[in-house]
Amino acid sequence: MTSRESAASEITPQVLLRAYACGIFPMAESAEDPTLFWVEPEMRGLIPLDGFRIASRLARTVRSDGFRVTVDTAFKAVIAGCAAPQPGRDDTWINKRIRDLYLGLYELGHCHSVEVWQDDDLVGGLYGVSLGRAFFGESMFHRARDASKVALVHLVARLIAGGFELLDTQYVTEHLRSFGAVEIPRRRYRALLDKAITGEPADFIRLPADAPVPGTLALEIIAARG
């Protein structure tokens, strides 16, 4: 289900948070289209935090710490990377309004990025919205093999450690399905969401944010939950 609004409509970061609490999120037709539309899928994608799957080859990559992984240190660069053309995807739904809104959420502490580096080069990452004990994954990108996958592994470890209950992927792709992503009906999703946004909020930075988390620790956290 979608609904459109004009470019003149006033959507603020606070309005955006209320929308997430209701199970809806914004998208744009393209990077050049200034308008947004609200989306509430009939079937919602989730990655169960107690059912996250990691292929053995990826686990070796994570354990080797060949990439350096940071959090909330290059948010603008991550969202720019997500908005850039990727192999198999020439266009993006991330327009300037999307960037500005999520930067506003980042400044309020409700949006976070995970960055993956090779030496001093940003080669992958992801960003998403934190609300209560729910995390809404928005987009990811990579410029080196496995970089976005490593970001996702570190994100899941951080969510588990911080007491999150719900990892929303909006939609399910074959890529996400390989990690254990599933689709559930809107009604079931809303019940899980309502539970996750009430009560004590989770803590995204319960794992240290001022120093890289070793890959071995990230894998141990995930294994203990699974």
Side-chain angles (χ1 to χ4, degrees), residues 43-54 137 140 152 156 166-184:
M43 299 294 292
R44 194 70 166 237
L46 300 177
I47 294 180
L49 294 176
D50 56 358
F52 187 67
R53 299 199 299 259
I54 307 172
M140 60 174 62
L152 182 59
V156 169
L166 181 66
L167 173 51
D168 176 356
T169 66
Q170 299 176 350
Y171 300 102
V172 173
T173 63
E174 286 306 310
H175 171 67
L176 293 176
R177 204 179 297 277
S178 70
F179 289 96
V182 297
E183 285 183 318
I184 62 172

Side-chain angles (χ1 to χ4, degrees), residues 16-67:
L16 194 53
L17 281 180
R18 291 198 293 272
Y20 274 98
C22 294
I24 61 177
F25 55 89
M27 295 186 75
E29 288 288 358
S30 70
E32 289 73 35
D33 188 344
T35 61
L36 303 181
F37 58 92
W38 295 109
V39 183
E40 186 181 15
E42 291 285 349
M43 299 294 292
R44 194 70 166 237
L46 300 177
I47 294 180
L49 294 176
D50 56 358
F52 187 67
R53 299 199 299 259
I54 307 172
S56 57
R57 186 187 64 79
L58 177 60
R60 289 194 297 272
T61 300
V62 172
R63 194 175 290 112
S64 73
D65 288 326
F67 294 112

